[in-house]
mmCIF file of all heavy atoms in Angstrom:
data_model
loop_
_atom_site.group_PDB
_atom_site.id
_atom_site.type_symbol
_atom_site.label_atom_id
_atom_site.label_comp_id
_atom_site.label_asym_id
_atom_site.label_seq_id
_atom_site.Cartn_x
_atom_site.Cartn_y
_atom_site.Cartn_z
ATOM 1 N N GLY W 1 98.262 -18.206 86.633
ATOM 2 C CA GLY W 1 97.294 -19.229 86.439
ATOM 3 C C GLY W 1 96.162 -19.089 87.404
ATOM 4 O O GLY W 1 96.241 -18.662 88.519
ATOM 5 N N THR W 2 94.937 -19.552 86.933
ATOM 6 C CA THR W 2 93.666 -19.428 87.696
ATOM 7 C C THR W 2 92.903 -20.734 87.585
ATOM 8 O O THR W 2 93.059 -21.493 86.572
ATOM 9 C CB THR W 2 92.815 -18.255 87.376
ATOM 10 O OG1 THR W 2 92.716 -18.226 85.889
ATOM 11 C CG2 THR W 2 93.446 -16.947 87.768
ATOM 12 N N ALA W 3 91.978 -20.953 88.530
ATOM 13 C CA ALA W 3 91.068 -22.104 88.418
ATOM 14 C C ALA W 3 89.778 -21.764 89.143
ATOM 15 O O ALA W 3 89.751 -20.961 90.119
ATOM 16 C CB ALA W 3 91.700 -23.351 89.040
ATOM 17 N N ILE W 4 88.653 -22.418 88.663
ATOM 18 C CA ILE W 4 87.358 -22.285 89.397
ATOM 19 C C ILE W 4 86.780 -23.699 89.596
ATOM 20 O O ILE W 4 86.826 -24.500 88.603
ATOM 21 C CB ILE W 4 86.373 -21.433 88.634
ATOM 22 C CG1 ILE W 4 86.870 -19.966 88.543
ATOM 23 C CG2 ILE W 4 85.063 -21.312 89.396
ATOM 24 C CD1 ILE W 4 85.881 -19.063 87.753
ATOM 25 N N PHE W 5 86.294 -23.927 90.777
ATOM 26 C CA PHE W 5 85.588 -25.227 90.998
ATOM 27 C C PHE W 5 84.104 -24.804 91.458
ATOM 28 O O PHE W 5 83.993 -23.975 92.360
ATOM 29 C CB PHE W 5 86.233 -26.017 92.114
ATOM 30 C CG PHE W 5 87.663 -26.248 91.779
ATOM 31 C CD1 PHE W 5 88.695 -25.382 92.358
ATOM 32 C CD2 PHE W 5 88.051 -27.297 90.962
ATOM 33 C CE1 PHE W 5 89.979 -25.604 92.097
ATOM 34 C CE2 PHE W 5 89.412 -27.452 90.653
ATOM 35 C CZ PHE W 5 90.373 -26.674 91.218
ATOM 36 N N THR W 6 83.160 -25.414 90.760
ATOM 37 C CA THR W 6 81.753 -24.979 91.030
ATOM 38 C C THR W 6 80.856 -26.154 91.112
ATOM 39 O O THR W 6 80.966 -27.053 90.239
ATOM 40 C CB THR W 6 81.301 -23.923 89.905
ATOM 41 O OG1 THR W 6 79.924 -23.639 90.173
ATOM 42 C CG2 THR W 6 81.481 -24.471 88.549
ATOM 43 N N LYS W 7 79.920 -26.136 92.113
ATOM 44 C CA LYS W 7 79.034 -27.188 92.201
ATOM 45 C C LYS W 7 77.842 -27.149 91.052
ATOM 46 O O LYS W 7 77.433 -28.192 90.677
ATOM 47 C CB LYS W 7 78.308 -27.231 93.566
ATOM 48 C CG LYS W 7 79.272 -27.568 94.736
ATOM 49 C CD LYS W 7 78.508 -27.439 95.982
ATOM 50 C CE LYS W 7 79.435 -27.842 97.200
ATOM 51 N NZ LYS W 7 78.775 -27.779 98.475
ATOM 52 N N GLU W 8 77.474 -25.981 90.662
ATOM 53 C CA GLU W 8 76.502 -25.804 89.598
ATOM 54 C C GLU W 8 77.130 -25.626 88.285
ATOM 55 O O GLU W 8 77.988 -24.598 88.193
ATOM 56 C CB GLU W 8 75.584 -24.652 89.991
ATOM 57 C CG GLU W 8 74.410 -24.468 88.986
ATOM 58 C CD GLU W 8 73.406 -23.350 89.337
ATOM 59 O OE1 GLU W 8 73.528 -22.893 90.532
ATOM 60 O OE2 GLU W 8 72.666 -22.988 88.537
ATOM 61 N N LYS W 9 76.789 -26.334 87.292
ATOM 62 C CA LYS W 9 77.331 -26.156 85.965
ATOM 63 C C LYS W 9 76.948 -24.811 85.346
ATOM 64 O O LYS W 9 75.756 -24.483 85.363
ATOM 65 C CB LYS W 9 76.840 -27.313 85.044
ATOM 66 C CG LYS W 9 77.525 -27.233 83.678
ATOM 67 C CD LYS W 9 77.043 -28.529 82.901
ATOM 68 C CE LYS W 9 77.765 -28.512 81.493
ATOM 69 N NZ LYS W 9 77.312 -29.685 80.649
ATOM 70 N N PRO W 10 77.886 -24.020 84.872
ATOM 71 C CA PRO W 10 77.542 -22.839 84.272
ATOM 72 C C PRO W 10 76.950 -22.900 82.868
ATOM 73 O O PRO W 10 77.091 -23.918 82.250
ATOM 74 C CB PRO W 10 78.796 -22.003 84.273
ATOM 75 C CG PRO W 10 79.835 -23.051 84.075
ATOM 76 C CD PRO W 10 79.291 -24.297 84.848
ATOM 77 N N GLN W 11 76.238 -21.781 82.476
ATOM 78 C CA GLN W 11 75.762 -21.871 81.010
ATOM 79 C C GLN W 11 76.941 -21.735 80.065
ATOM 80 O O GLN W 11 76.878 -22.359 78.967
ATOM 81 C CB GLN W 11 74.810 -20.682 80.781
ATOM 82 C CG GLN W 11 73.543 -20.746 81.583
ATOM 83 C CD GLN W 11 72.596 -19.568 81.458
ATOM 84 O OE1 GLN W 11 73.097 -18.455 81.047
ATOM 85 N NE2 GLN W 11 71.385 -19.693 81.718
ATOM 86 N N ASN W 12 77.930 -20.967 80.407
ATOM 87 C CA ASN W 12 79.056 -20.765 79.513
ATOM 88 C C ASN W 12 80.336 -20.554 80.356
ATOM 89 O O ASN W 12 80.216 -20.134 81.544
ATOM 90 C CB ASN W 12 78.925 -19.539 78.625
ATOM 91 C CG ASN W 12 77.843 -19.808 77.591
ATOM 92 O OD1 ASN W 12 78.011 -20.592 76.651
ATOM 93 N ND2 ASN W 12 76.739 -19.047 77.658
ATOM 94 N N ALA W 13 81.501 -20.796 79.753
ATOM 95 C CA ALA W 13 82.810 -20.540 80.467
ATOM 96 C C ALA W 13 83.749 -19.866 79.475
ATOM 97 O O ALA W 13 83.816 -20.337 78.279
ATOM 98 C CB ALA W 13 83.375 -21.830 81.033
ATOM 99 N N PHE W 14 84.438 -18.856 79.889
ATOM 100 C CA PHE W 14 85.334 -18.163 78.992
ATOM 101 C C PHE W 14 86.688 -17.917 79.731
ATOM 102 O O PHE W 14 86.726 -17.598 80.941
ATOM 103 C CB PHE W 14 84.753 -16.765 78.654
ATOM 104 C CG PHE W 14 83.327 -16.789 78.254
ATOM 105 C CD1 PHE W 14 82.385 -16.452 79.142
ATOM 106 C CD2 PHE W 14 83.157 -17.057 76.848
ATOM 107 C CE1 PHE W 14 81.060 -16.512 78.765
ATOM 108 C CE2 PHE W 14 81.739 -16.986 76.521
ATOM 109 C CZ PHE W 14 80.711 -16.718 77.394
ATOM 110 N N ASN W 15 87.794 -18.063 78.977
ATOM 111 C CA ASN W 15 89.150 -17.703 79.541
ATOM 112 C C ASN W 15 89.607 -16.415 79.006
ATOM 113 O O ASN W 15 89.412 -16.096 77.737
ATOM 114 C CB ASN W 15 90.103 -18.782 79.292
ATOM 115 C CG ASN W 15 89.966 -19.918 80.153
ATOM 116 O OD1 ASN W 15 89.228 -19.947 81.145
ATOM 117 N ND2 ASN W 15 90.717 -20.998 79.869
ATOM 118 N N GLY W 16 90.220 -15.540 79.784
ATOM 119 C CA GLY W 16 90.805 -14.339 79.242
ATOM 120 C C GLY W 16 89.720 -13.217 79.032
ATOM 121 O O GLY W 16 88.557 -13.316 79.477
ATOM 122 N N ILE W 17 90.161 -12.086 78.533
ATOM 123 C CA ILE W 17 89.320 -10.949 78.221
ATOM 124 C C ILE W 17 89.249 -10.528 76.794
ATOM 125 O O ILE W 17 88.756 -9.487 76.436
ATOM 126 C CB ILE W 17 89.732 -9.751 79.178
ATOM 127 C CG1 ILE W 17 91.197 -9.321 78.814
ATOM 128 C CG2 ILE W 17 89.505 -10.041 80.685
ATOM 129 C CD1 ILE W 17 91.517 -8.037 79.610
ATOM 130 N N GLY W 18 89.807 -11.431 75.948
ATOM 131 C CA GLY W 18 89.684 -11.191 74.541
ATOM 132 C C GLY W 18 90.818 -10.327 73.931
ATOM 133 O O GLY W 18 90.616 -9.837 72.770
ATOM 134 N N ILE W 19 91.835 -10.056 74.625
ATOM 135 C CA ILE W 19 93.008 -9.219 74.186
ATOM 136 C C ILE W 19 94.208 -10.062 74.353
ATOM 137 O O ILE W 19 94.611 -10.338 75.485
ATOM 138 C CB ILE W 19 93.052 -7.864 74.929
ATOM 139 C CG1 ILE W 19 91.758 -7.081 74.756
ATOM 140 C CG2 ILE W 19 94.281 -7.061 74.412
ATOM 141 C CD1 ILE W 19 91.717 -5.834 75.508
ATOM 142 N N GLU W 20 94.888 -10.365 73.226
ATOM 143 C CA GLU W 20 96.006 -11.373 73.297
ATOM 144 C C GLU W 20 97.091 -11.012 74.261
ATOM 145 O O GLU W 20 97.537 -11.915 74.995
ATOM 146 C CB GLU W 20 96.544 -11.559 71.823
ATOM 147 C CG GLU W 20 97.600 -12.643 71.820
ATOM 148 C CD GLU W 20 98.098 -12.911 70.386
ATOM 149 O OE1 GLU W 20 97.568 -12.256 69.504
ATOM 150 O OE2 GLU W 20 98.989 -13.732 70.201
ATOM 151 N N LYS W 21 97.493 -9.743 74.208
ATOM 152 C CA LYS W 21 98.671 -9.339 75.149
ATOM 153 C C LYS W 21 98.344 -9.541 76.672
ATOM 154 O O LYS W 21 99.191 -9.504 77.424
ATOM 155 C CB LYS W 21 99.116 -8.024 74.815
ATOM 156 C CG LYS W 21 98.142 -6.820 75.168
ATOM 157 C CD LYS W 21 98.842 -5.541 74.826
ATOM 158 C CE LYS W 21 97.900 -4.323 75.093
ATOM 159 N NZ LYS W 21 98.532 -3.054 74.703
ATOM 160 N N PHE W 22 97.075 -9.653 77.034
ATOM 161 C CA PHE W 22 96.638 -9.840 78.364
ATOM 162 C C PHE W 22 96.239 -11.301 78.651
ATOM 163 O O PHE W 22 96.028 -11.637 79.804
ATOM 164 C CB PHE W 22 95.517 -8.858 78.688
ATOM 165 C CG PHE W 22 95.861 -7.420 78.578
ATOM 166 C CD1 PHE W 22 95.080 -6.630 77.868
ATOM 167 C CD2 PHE W 22 97.014 -6.899 79.243
ATOM 168 C CE1 PHE W 22 95.406 -5.285 77.755
ATOM 169 C CE2 PHE W 22 97.308 -5.534 79.142
ATOM 170 C CZ PHE W 22 96.532 -4.787 78.426
ATOM 171 N N ASP W 23 96.177 -12.077 77.638
ATOM 172 C CA ASP W 23 95.557 -13.451 77.827
ATOM 173 C C ASP W 23 96.550 -14.556 77.742
ATOM 174 O O ASP W 23 96.213 -15.727 77.598
ATOM 175 C CB ASP W 23 94.433 -13.595 76.777
ATOM 176 C CG ASP W 23 93.155 -12.799 77.051
ATOM 177 O OD1 ASP W 23 93.103 -12.319 78.169
ATOM 178 O OD2 ASP W 23 92.307 -12.684 76.184
ATOM 179 N N THR W 24 97.840 -14.306 77.840
ATOM 180 C CA THR W 24 98.841 -15.305 77.758
ATOM 181 C C THR W 24 99.283 -15.775 79.133
ATOM 182 O O THR W 24 100.053 -16.642 79.309
ATOM 183 C CB THR W 24 100.094 -14.768 77.031
ATOM 184 O OG1 THR W 24 100.694 -13.649 77.707
ATOM 185 C CG2 THR W 24 99.754 -14.409 75.585
ATOM 186 N N GLU W 25 98.822 -15.079 80.275
ATOM 187 C CA GLU W 25 99.345 -15.374 81.554
ATOM 188 C C GLU W 25 98.183 -16.048 82.402
ATOM 189 O O GLU W 25 98.403 -16.241 83.642
ATOM 190 C CB GLU W 25 99.807 -14.068 82.285
ATOM 191 C CG GLU W 25 100.925 -13.456 81.499
ATOM 192 C CD GLU W 25 101.469 -12.196 82.211
ATOM 193 O OE1 GLU W 25 100.840 -11.655 83.106
ATOM 194 O OE2 GLU W 25 102.566 -11.785 81.754
ATOM 195 N N GLY W 26 97.129 -16.522 81.863
ATOM 196 C CA GLY W 26 96.144 -17.316 82.512
ATOM 197 C C GLY W 26 95.448 -16.630 83.689
ATOM 198 O O GLY W 26 95.169 -17.263 84.742
ATOM 199 N N ARG W 27 95.106 -15.287 83.574
ATOM 200 C CA ARG W 27 94.731 -14.464 84.706
ATOM 201 C C ARG W 27 93.200 -14.356 84.952
ATOM 202 O O ARG W 27 92.801 -13.837 85.992
ATOM 203 C CB ARG W 27 95.288 -13.138 84.587
ATOM 204 C CG ARG W 27 96.877 -13.052 84.676
ATOM 205 C CD ARG W 27 97.350 -11.621 84.715
ATOM 206 N NE ARG W 27 98.822 -11.698 84.885
ATOM 207 C CZ ARG W 27 99.458 -11.669 86.056
ATOM 208 N NH1 ARG W 27 98.709 -11.669 87.148
ATOM 209 N NH2 ARG W 27 100.716 -11.736 86.165
ATOM 210 N N VAL W 28 92.389 -14.750 83.989
ATOM 211 C CA VAL W 28 90.925 -14.496 84.116
ATOM 212 C C VAL W 28 90.187 -15.703 83.646
ATOM 213 O O VAL W 28 90.418 -16.312 82.587
ATOM 214 C CB VAL W 28 90.485 -13.256 83.308
ATOM 215 C CG1 VAL W 28 89.019 -13.057 83.336
ATOM 216 C CG2 VAL W 28 91.309 -12.019 83.725
ATOM 217 N N ILE W 29 89.163 -16.135 84.455
ATOM 218 C CA ILE W 29 88.151 -17.087 84.048
ATOM 219 C C ILE W 29 86.790 -16.422 84.363
ATOM 220 O O ILE W 29 86.622 -15.973 85.444
ATOM 221 C CB ILE W 29 88.281 -18.383 84.837
ATOM 222 C CG1 ILE W 29 89.646 -19.062 84.554
ATOM 223 C CG2 ILE W 29 87.171 -19.388 84.338
ATOM 224 C CD1 ILE W 29 89.916 -20.289 85.491
ATOM 225 N N THR W 30 85.835 -16.564 83.428
ATOM 226 C CA THR W 30 84.564 -16.047 83.582
ATOM 227 C C THR W 30 83.518 -17.230 83.427
ATOM 228 O O THR W 30 83.666 -18.008 82.422
ATOM 229 C CB THR W 30 84.138 -14.962 82.606
ATOM 230 O OG1 THR W 30 85.115 -13.876 82.699
ATOM 231 C CG2 THR W 30 82.743 -14.432 82.709
ATOM 232 N N LEU W 31 82.560 -17.390 84.435
ATOM 233 C CA LEU W 31 81.483 -18.320 84.223
ATOM 234 C C LEU W 31 80.194 -17.513 84.212
ATOM 235 O O LEU W 31 79.983 -16.584 84.965
ATOM 236 C CB LEU W 31 81.533 -19.275 85.464
ATOM 237 C CG LEU W 31 82.694 -20.124 85.801
ATOM 238 C CD1 LEU W 31 82.466 -21.111 86.880
ATOM 239 C CD2 LEU W 31 83.134 -20.796 84.542
ATOM 240 N N GLU W 32 79.376 -17.931 83.204
ATOM 241 C CA GLU W 32 78.100 -17.275 83.079
ATOM 242 C C GLU W 32 76.934 -18.195 83.737
ATOM 243 O O GLU W 32 76.904 -19.388 83.353
ATOM 244 C CB GLU W 32 77.780 -17.010 81.674
ATOM 245 C CG GLU W 32 76.432 -16.349 81.407
ATOM 246 C CD GLU W 32 76.102 -16.127 79.950
ATOM 247 O OE1 GLU W 32 76.851 -16.561 79.068
ATOM 248 O OE2 GLU W 32 74.989 -15.529 79.649
ATOM 249 N N TYR W 33 76.170 -17.577 84.572
ATOM 250 C CA TYR W 33 74.971 -18.273 85.123
ATOM 251 C C TYR W 33 73.781 -17.577 84.749
ATOM 252 O O TYR W 33 73.869 -16.489 83.951
ATOM 253 C CB TYR W 33 75.039 -18.318 86.591
ATOM 254 C CG TYR W 33 76.092 -19.410 87.105
ATOM 255 C CD1 TYR W 33 77.395 -18.916 87.408
ATOM 256 C CD2 TYR W 33 75.857 -20.642 87.186
ATOM 257 C CE1 TYR W 33 78.378 -19.833 87.812
ATOM 258 C CE2 TYR W 33 76.745 -21.550 87.597
ATOM 259 C CZ TYR W 33 78.020 -21.212 87.883
ATOM 260 O OH TYR W 33 79.014 -22.125 88.284
ATOM 261 N N GLU W 34 72.641 -17.946 84.953
ATOM 262 C CA GLU W 34 71.370 -17.365 84.512
ATOM 263 C C GLU W 34 71.238 -15.911 84.850
ATOM 264 O O GLU W 34 70.861 -15.071 84.112
ATOM 265 C CB GLU W 34 70.172 -18.160 85.090
ATOM 266 C CG GLU W 34 68.771 -17.606 84.635
ATOM 267 C CD GLU W 34 67.579 -18.316 85.173
ATOM 268 O OE1 GLU W 34 67.836 -19.379 85.809
ATOM 269 O OE2 GLU W 34 66.452 -17.962 84.795
ATOM 270 N N LYS W 35 71.630 -15.522 86.158
ATOM 271 C CA LYS W 35 71.369 -14.254 86.617
ATOM 272 C C LYS W 35 72.650 -13.372 86.808
ATOM 273 O O LYS W 35 72.483 -12.195 87.215
ATOM 274 C CB LYS W 35 70.608 -14.259 87.892
ATOM 275 C CG LYS W 35 69.173 -14.824 87.723
ATOM 276 C CD LYS W 35 68.400 -14.817 89.027
ATOM 277 C CE LYS W 35 66.946 -15.433 88.823
ATOM 278 N NZ LYS W 35 66.212 -15.437 90.121
ATOM 279 N N PHE W 36 73.880 -13.953 86.672
ATOM 280 C CA PHE W 36 75.064 -13.175 86.993
ATOM 281 C C PHE W 36 76.220 -13.881 86.234
ATOM 282 O O PHE W 36 76.128 -15.026 85.814
ATOM 283 C CB PHE W 36 75.276 -13.177 88.524
ATOM 284 C CG PHE W 36 75.586 -14.469 89.091
ATOM 285 C CD1 PHE W 36 76.839 -14.859 89.403
ATOM 286 C CD2 PHE W 36 74.504 -15.418 89.445
ATOM 287 C CE1 PHE W 36 77.121 -16.102 90.001
ATOM 288 C CE2 PHE W 36 74.799 -16.521 90.073
ATOM 289 C CZ PHE W 36 76.087 -16.931 90.328
ATOM 290 N N PHE W 37 77.360 -13.209 86.298
ATOM 291 C CA PHE W 37 78.716 -13.683 85.914
ATOM 292 C C PHE W 37 79.499 -13.750 87.120
ATOM 293 O O PHE W 37 79.499 -12.807 88.032
ATOM 294 C CB PHE W 37 79.337 -12.763 84.857
ATOM 295 C CG PHE W 37 78.661 -12.757 83.539
ATOM 296 C CD1 PHE W 37 77.815 -11.877 83.157
ATOM 297 C CD2 PHE W 37 79.119 -13.714 82.541
ATOM 298 C CE1 PHE W 37 77.223 -11.848 81.903
ATOM 299 C CE2 PHE W 37 78.572 -13.679 81.302
ATOM 300 C CZ PHE W 37 77.660 -12.775 80.921
ATOM 301 N N ILE W 38 80.348 -14.792 87.302
ATOM 302 C CA ILE W 38 81.433 -14.882 88.300
ATOM 303 C C ILE W 38 82.681 -14.849 87.580
ATOM 304 O O ILE W 38 82.908 -15.638 86.578
ATOM 305 C CB ILE W 38 81.282 -16.050 89.187
ATOM 306 C CG1 ILE W 38 82.379 -16.211 90.232
ATOM 307 C CG2 ILE W 38 81.191 -17.338 88.439
ATOM 308 C CD1 ILE W 38 82.225 -15.313 91.353
ATOM 309 N N ILE W 39 83.566 -13.892 87.915
ATOM 310 C CA ILE W 39 84.881 -13.798 87.348
ATOM 311 C C ILE W 39 85.990 -13.924 88.375
ATOM 312 O O ILE W 39 85.946 -13.282 89.385
ATOM 313 C CB ILE W 39 85.004 -12.378 86.678
ATOM 314 C CG1 ILE W 39 83.847 -12.173 85.707
ATOM 315 C CG2 ILE W 39 86.295 -12.269 85.954
ATOM 316 C CD1 ILE W 39 83.777 -10.724 85.215
ATOM 317 N N ASN W 40 86.955 -14.856 88.030
ATOM 318 C CA ASN W 40 88.141 -15.038 88.848
ATOM 319 C C ASN W 40 89.310 -14.417 88.169
ATOM 320 O O ASN W 40 89.507 -14.693 87.038
ATOM 321 C CB ASN W 40 88.333 -16.600 88.997
ATOM 322 C CG ASN W 40 89.597 -16.896 89.883
ATOM 323 O OD1 ASN W 40 89.979 -16.087 90.690
ATOM 324 N ND2 ASN W 40 90.032 -18.145 89.663
ATOM 325 N N VAL W 41 89.945 -13.447 89.004
ATOM 326 C CA VAL W 41 90.981 -12.678 88.313
ATOM 327 C C VAL W 41 92.203 -12.556 89.200
ATOM 328 O O VAL W 41 92.115 -12.451 90.425
ATOM 329 C CB VAL W 41 90.436 -11.212 88.005
ATOM 330 C CG1 VAL W 41 89.936 -10.535 89.213
ATOM 331 C CG2 VAL W 41 91.487 -10.371 87.358
ATOM 332 N N TYR W 42 93.379 -12.660 88.514
ATOM 333 C CA TYR W 42 94.662 -12.499 89.265
ATOM 334 C C TYR W 42 95.313 -11.202 88.462
ATOM 335 O O TYR W 42 95.910 -11.501 87.419
ATOM 336 C CB TYR W 42 95.485 -13.725 89.151
ATOM 337 C CG TYR W 42 96.926 -13.678 89.775
ATOM 338 C CD1 TYR W 42 97.120 -12.891 90.859
ATOM 339 C CD2 TYR W 42 97.910 -14.244 89.082
ATOM 340 C CE1 TYR W 42 98.408 -12.785 91.372
ATOM 341 C CE2 TYR W 42 99.207 -14.195 89.607
ATOM 342 C CZ TYR W 42 99.449 -13.440 90.787
ATOM 343 O OH TYR W 42 100.672 -13.337 91.231
ATOM 344 N N THR W 43 95.213 -10.164 89.129
ATOM 345 C CA THR W 43 95.689 -8.859 88.524
ATOM 346 C C THR W 43 97.296 -8.868 88.483
ATOM 347 O O THR W 43 97.887 -9.197 89.478
ATOM 348 C CB THR W 43 95.127 -7.642 89.253
ATOM 349 O OG1 THR W 43 93.781 -7.683 89.230
ATOM 350 C CG2 THR W 43 95.660 -6.353 88.710
ATOM 351 N N PRO W 44 97.857 -8.338 87.399
ATOM 352 C CA PRO W 44 99.308 -8.353 87.242
ATOM 353 C C PRO W 44 99.876 -7.481 88.404
ATOM 354 O O PRO W 44 99.310 -6.413 88.756
ATOM 355 C CB PRO W 44 99.555 -7.715 85.945
ATOM 356 C CG PRO W 44 98.339 -7.986 85.112
ATOM 357 C CD PRO W 44 97.218 -7.993 86.166
ATOM 358 N N ASN W 45 100.976 -7.834 88.891
ATOM 359 C CA ASN W 45 101.790 -7.010 89.950
ATOM 360 C C ASN W 45 102.610 -6.039 89.165
ATOM 361 O O ASN W 45 103.162 -6.309 88.033
ATOM 362 C CB ASN W 45 102.629 -7.921 90.706
ATOM 363 C CG ASN W 45 103.217 -7.324 91.856
ATOM 364 O OD1 ASN W 45 104.180 -6.362 91.713
ATOM 365 N ND2 ASN W 45 103.071 -7.764 93.078
ATOM 366 N N SER W 46 102.675 -4.796 89.730
ATOM 367 C CA SER W 46 103.504 -3.757 88.974
ATOM 368 C C SER W 46 105.018 -3.956 89.135
ATOM 369 O O SER W 46 105.786 -3.191 88.505
ATOM 370 C CB SER W 46 103.070 -2.393 89.610
ATOM 371 O OG SER W 46 101.790 -2.032 89.229
#
């Protein structure tokens, strides 16, 4: 699981990376701003 708290509202927000087998564990949040993306990621442990 992941979370992001931001003072400035993003243009868009996305969970996951668009591949089902990687998106069931809550590992990625992406926020889109005017000039950049901020991505919060918790990489799987081997």
Side-chain angles (χ1 to χ4, degrees):
T2 47
I4 301 181
F5 308 97
T6 176
K7 291 181 178 179
E8 182 179 348
K9 187 177 181 179
Q11 294 177 337
N12 291 294
F14 314 94
N15 284 351
I17 59 175
I19 300 174
E20 184 176 358
K21 68 180 178 181
F22 298 126
D23 287 347
T24 61
E25 297 182 352
R27 293 186 177 274
V28 178
I29 303 173
T30 302
L31 302 185
E32 180 182 3
Y33 289 94
E34 181 181 358
K35 296 182 179 179
F36 66 98
F37 289 92
I38 177 79
I39 305 170
N40 182 20
V41 56
Y42 177 37
T43 300
N45 190 296
S46 293

